[in-house]
Amino acid sequence: MSEPTTPAGWGIELCKFWQQAGQALPVDVKLLAPEATKRFADPIGKIKAHDIAGIDGMLIKRPSKGDWCIAYDPAVESPGRINFTLGHELGHYFLHRRMRDHFQCGQGEMLDYESATSRKLEGEANKFASFLLMPIPDFKVQIANEEISLELLGHCANRYATSFTAKALKWIEFTQEAAVLVVAREGFICWSYPTDSARRLGLYLPHGTELPRVSLDNLAKVMDSRNHTTRVGAGVWHSTLEAQESIILSDRFDMAIFLVRFPFANLVEHEEEAIEDSVSWLSKKIRGW
Ligand SMILES: [Zn+2]
């Protein structure tokens, strides 16, 4: 049997492995990891909690036993996030274990924009976890005929036992809509993920970009974790397009998640020039002009 070659391919393969064993969703990575790796000479022999603050998960080689151990932070409040972290570490196992003996992952690591290599490996492990835990065909059925919102994505929570952000990313990945998911902390963008059609409109907001002033004001009005949706004019998120902005505060209230959709984007002719215009508009904004 030939093995998958991409993070998505591996994720899909292992999700099938889980379902063919007669198991229902959500995928329980604690059960899956030892089973799915025991055909290798260096399987995952142990999954245990650790007590190192700030590290969500680790994948460590155990030379004395010739196997691997996944360690996770049990203090993370949301079980969905733990399951996603375990999926992420399993991704490092399938994709990267020949490159390193030790992977240490956390929010900080994910935001390590200094190193292109770690960013690539972290991105691949997240992609693997997303395909493993949230199979697209099933996800499409769950949200069929429903108006997508941060609330709906939140309500899908239990089905996949994964974090809210991971689910929103999944939607971003396959939707035809122009939209961007933005995670911000203290007024600055930690990361943003545009959909393909938003990317074509030049919508990419790099790490460290300041939030638009209007959105900061909207954020100040959100006092609880309930979804807050409002219309914002052209010139806030895009030079010429109005947007619908939804804000939710993360479970620990230290991050704000924005889902920004552009309902009129498909009415716009995407001329090359217009794209360049909005790109230079954005880069000016980033430089604070
Ligand atoms: Zn990682």
Side-chain angles (χ1 to χ4, degrees):
M1 194 180 77
S2 67
E3 295 202 319
T5 53
T6 62
W10 270 116
I12 291 166
E13 176 87 9
L14 286 156
C15 184
K16 274 193 206 145
F17 177 87
W18 175 259
Q19 290 178 305
Q20 281 165 1
Q23 300 279 8
L25 295 172
V27 173
D28 182 342
V29 183
K30 261 189 209 166
L31 280 178
L32 171 75
E35 279 302 310
T37 60
K38 68 182 181 196
R39 65 191 165 101
F40 299 108
D42 57 341
I44 290 176
K46 196 172 180 72
I47 299 181
K48 61 167 191 180
H50 72 63
D51 54 6
I52 310 161
I55 295 172
D56 285 350
M58 294 188 277
L59 174 71
I60 308 150
K61 190 164 193 174
R62 301 196 296 181
S64 59
K65 300 200 185 290
D67 68 1
W68 293 80
C69 168
I70 292 178
Y72 65 93
D73 182 359
V76 171
E77 291 112 77
S78 130
R81 247 185 77 194
I82 293 179
N83 202 38
F84 191 84
T85 296
L86 297 177
H88 173 105
E89 300 309 325
L90 187 60
H92 281 314
Y93 174 89
F94 278 101
L95 303 163
H96 310 131
R97 73 183 187 281
R98 314 240 181 269
M99 300 162 68
R100 289 186 193 169
D101 288 349
H102 188 114
F103 298 85
Q104 194 168 298
C105 313
Q107 206 66 47
E109 194 91 355
M110 275 173 73
L111 303 179
D112 175 14
Y113 278 72
E114 300 308 313
S115 152
T117 314
S118 349
R119 201 163 64 219
K120 181 169 180 287
L121 300 191
E122 290 313 289
E124 288 179 352
N126 282 340
K127 187 152 213 171
F128 167 90
S130 133
F131 277 82
L132 166 67
L133 300 174
M134 297 171 286
I136 286 180
D138 187 80
F139 193 83
K140 280 185 175 161
V141 170
Q142 298 309 313
I143 64 167
N145 306 320
E146 299 253 20
E147 174 73 1
I148 196 78
S149 65
L150 290 177
E151 237 160 15
L152 173 64
L153 290 169
H155 283 154
C156 289
N158 296 336
R159 184 163 182 87
Y160 305 112
T162 179
S163 74
F164 169 79
T165 334
K167 273 186 295 292
L169 280 177
K170 194 72 194 173
W171 178 75
I172 289 282
E173 215 164 72
F174 73 75
T175 184
Q176 305 293 317
E177 251 188 59
V180 59
L181 185 75
V182 175
V183 175
R185 201 203 295 253
E186 286 164 10
F188 289 91
I189 292 173
C190 301
W191 48 261
S192 70
Y193 271 98
T195 62
D196 282 347
S197 56
R199 202 184 294 272
R200 286 196 292 275
L201 290 165
L203 268 157
Y204 170 71
L205 302 146
H207 171 64
T209 308
E210 228 175 312
L211 279 175
R213 161 91 354 229
V214 175
S215 307
L216 267 178
D217 292 345
N218 289 339
L219 180 58
K221 292 179 204 147
V222 185
M223 298 307 288
D224 54 33
S225 62
R226 270 180 307 188
N227 187 0
H228 179 274
T229 299
T230 176
R231 221 4 115 72
V232 294
V236 176
W237 290 100
H238 187 272
S239 55
T240 58
L241 288 173
E242 250 185 54
Q244 189 200 66
E245 179 192 89
S246 303
I247 308 174
I248 198 167
L249 299 176
S250 77
D251 44 4
R252 288 171 164 179
F253 299 99
D254 57 351
M255 287 205 180
I257 304 166
F258 291 80
L259 177 64
V260 186
R261 302 165 72 194
F262 300 91
F264 304 115
N266 54 3
L267 304 176
V268 177
E269 273 297 313
H270 306 328
E271 298 290 345
E272 295 263 325
E273 272 175 39
I275 291 171
E276 261 172 36
D277 275 358
S278 66
V279 171
S280 63
W281 175 80
L282 260 181
S283 58
K284 279 180 194 162
K285 239 177 128 61
I286 290 157
R287 281 181 240 137
W289 294 351

